[in-house]
Amino acid sequence: MAKSNLALVTPATVIGTVDNRPRPPRRRRNAEVRAREYLTDPEVARLIAAASGNRHGHRDATAALIAYRHGLRAAELVTLRWDAIDFAHGRVHVYRVKSGSESVHPLSGRELRALRRLKREQDPASPFIFTSERGAPFTPAGFRKMVARLGVAADLGFPVHPHMLRHAWASSSPMTASIPGRCRPIWATATSSTRCATPSWRPPASRTSGRIDPTPLNLCS
């Protein structure tokens, strides 16, 4: 039965488009914003010093320190739990995203002291290491915004994001990871399962020849 109150109307715009709609600006390439995608050791020190001046300075400085020392992504840092920390033996169990290999990293004395203080002062107590004022765990977006603000406070002169801490660690850390039954360098456990995911990660070059040694150095033997 036909409905007499319905009629076909010609659309005023093309389907799927809106006339005179402003488009958001395109994202600039990283090379147009900064000359490199990693931080140097002095820049990391300035970033941590700037974090110490925040309202929750010790928490923020410890987060930047742990992310740098262990090459953690934002998602890996915010999901770090207290049961992953072995205070007695100075170790941390690192869980990797993007199908990365889990590993056990040694903790330095500076890291152990910072984590012990953070655990004592955490209120309310939480199974997660890095939490907000309300006791909820940090989110990757929250950590990214915090690092961006720290880059401005440290006056580094270019925008900073958390992955630059991971790249900074990869270019300077000679530490190795101890895994039961085998020993692998930490940079090997931090890479993604896909070759193209992190193309800038390479084994450290030889100090004498400057060439990359394809054989990982086993310091546990």
Side-chain angles (χ1 to χ4, degrees), residues 79-166:
T79 55
L80 202 59
R81 299 168 60 97
W82 287 115
D83 54 12
I85 306 296
D86 184 359
F87 286 103
H89 300 90
R91 298 173 183 173
V92 55
H93 182 89
V94 176
Y95 170 77
R96 297 290 184 185
V97 299
K98 293 188 175 182
S99 301
S101 301
E102 298 183 16
S103 56
V104 179
H105 293 194
L107 290 170
S108 65
R110 178 184 178 185
E111 295 171 84
L112 286 171
R113 290 188 295 271
L115 288 171
R116 286 193 180 100
R117 175 185 168 185
L118 185 62
K119 190 172 185 179
R120 289 195 307 267
E121 298 177 353
Q122 190 178 58
D123 185 28
S126 171
F128 293 94
I129 296 180
F130 302 105
T131 58
S132 65
E133 293 179 344
R134 298 183 179 181
F138 259 28
T139 62
F143 183 64
R144 284 194 293 268
K145 293 175 183 177
M146 186 194 76
V147 172
R149 291 193 299 266
L150 293 180
V152 176
D155 195 20
L156 297 182
F158 51 85
V160 179
H161 57 82
H163 219 70
M164 298 179 74
L165 293 170
R166 176 174 163 86

Side-chain angles (χ1 to χ4, degrees), residues 11-19:
T13 59
V14 180
I15 297 177
T17 64
V18 179
D19 292 339

Side-chain angles (χ1 to χ4, degrees), residues 4 25 30 52 54 88 107 115 118 130 161 165 171 180 187 201 212:
S4 58
N30 290 342
S52 301
N54 291 351
L107 290 170
L115 288 171
L118 185 62
F130 302 105
H161 57 82
L165 293 170
S171 63
W187 55 260
W201 290 70
I212 293 177

